[in-house]
Amino acid sequence: MTYKIKPMPAQIPAEHLSLLAQCETATLGHWRQFGFLSRQIQPLIPRRRVVGTAVTIAIPGPDSTLLHHLLSLIRPGDFVIVDRLHDDRYACWGGGVTVGAKAAGAVGAVVDGPCTDLEEIEASDFPMWCRGISPITTRIYDLGGAINVPVSVGNTVVMPGDAVLADESGVVVLSPDEVEAEARKAIETQIRGKDREASVRDTGVKLGDLSGASAKVLAKLA
């Protein structure tokens, strides 16, 4: 029944987040193998893409005391990452927490467990990713927890201060020192992809010819 609260992490530079906001998680998935949260963590509101700085919290199953306290520390641009310590029964995040998080400036949140009050989350237009919905909620039980420590969310280690990119395909975290390079690579990849799609759509060229896949298959058949 103790609390561990570490300082708020340095925020990702705005210019780096601006680049990352132009990227799709699925583009990064062409070459990255690390940093992706489990695909079981899904968006509650579709067609949203948000970026921010990870602020991490770990709280035990039936208790949300520390989560309520965290909302007094959140800064504009923060993205809340909630480790539920393997609990999948209690919903720690609902309409009230949503209103508090948005008012504090949080750009989005991930809960490694269920949420509740979907209608209120939608009404707040707050980007939220979680493992589904539960009607069984947490209480203010004062059971302890930790803020801004390394956490395990979606089978992935998330560090306080990581950059977060979340969209309808999933959630990925990147260390601050790799954000700019990875974002620029993703943007260039997306431009090439659009050009290739235009060629297939407008000129009649076959995708297998453009990608080189057909040449590989025909070579094996020869």
Side-chain angles (χ1 to χ4, degrees), residues 151-185:
V151 295
S152 176
V153 173
N155 304 325
T156 298
V157 174
V158 183
M159 302 294 292
D162 278 350
V164 184
L165 168 63
D167 60 19
E168 61 185 358
S169 293
V171 183
V172 62
V173 295
L174 302 90
S175 61
D177 61 351
E178 62 182 345
V179 175
E180 182 178 13
E182 289 289 82
R184 291 190 185 280
K185 182 177 179 179

Side-chain angles (χ1 to χ4, degrees), residues 50-212:
V50 295
V51 296
T53 299
V55 171
T56 63
I57 180 172
I59 50 176
D63 183 45
S64 56
T65 307
L66 194 59
L67 179 58
H68 284 216
H69 175 68
L70 175 64
L71 300 184
S72 68
L73 306 176
I74 290 296
R75 308 154 301 185
D78 284 339
F79 194 110
V80 183
I81 303 284
V82 185
D83 182 346
R84 295 296 283 116
L85 302 175
H86 307 291
D87 179 79
D88 194 48
R89 177 176 175 84
Y90 296 94
C92 69
W93 196 293
V97 173
T98 297
V99 170
K102 187 167 184 177
V107 295
V110 166
V111 172
D112 196 5
C115 291
T116 196
D117 298 335
L118 175 58
E119 184 176 356
E120 294 178 48
I121 293 172
E122 290 177 333
S124 291
D125 193 28
F126 185 78
M128 187 81 223
W129 285 256
C130 66
R131 289 186 182 267
I133 301 296
S134 173
I136 305 173
T137 64
T138 53
R139 295 290 186 270
I140 306 301
Y141 288 140
D142 195 22
L143 298 182
I147 288 175
N148 289 324
V149 298
V151 295
S152 176
V153 173
N155 304 325
T156 298
V157 174
V158 183
M159 302 294 292
D162 278 350
V164 184
L165 168 63
D167 60 19
E168 61 185 358
S169 293
V171 183
V172 62
V173 295
L174 302 90
S175 61
D177 61 351
E178 62 182 345
V179 175
E180 182 178 13
E182 289 289 82
R184 291 190 185 280
K185 182 177 179 179
I187 292 168
E188 293 172 0
T189 300
Q190 289 169 184
I191 291 172
R192 290 196 302 271
K194 292 299 182 183
D195 290 342
R196 181 161 59 185
E197 291 170 9
S199 295
V200 173
R201 182 178 59 249
D202 301 333
T203 69
V205 66
K206 303 302 182 183
L207 179 60
D209 293 334
L210 277 176
S211 68

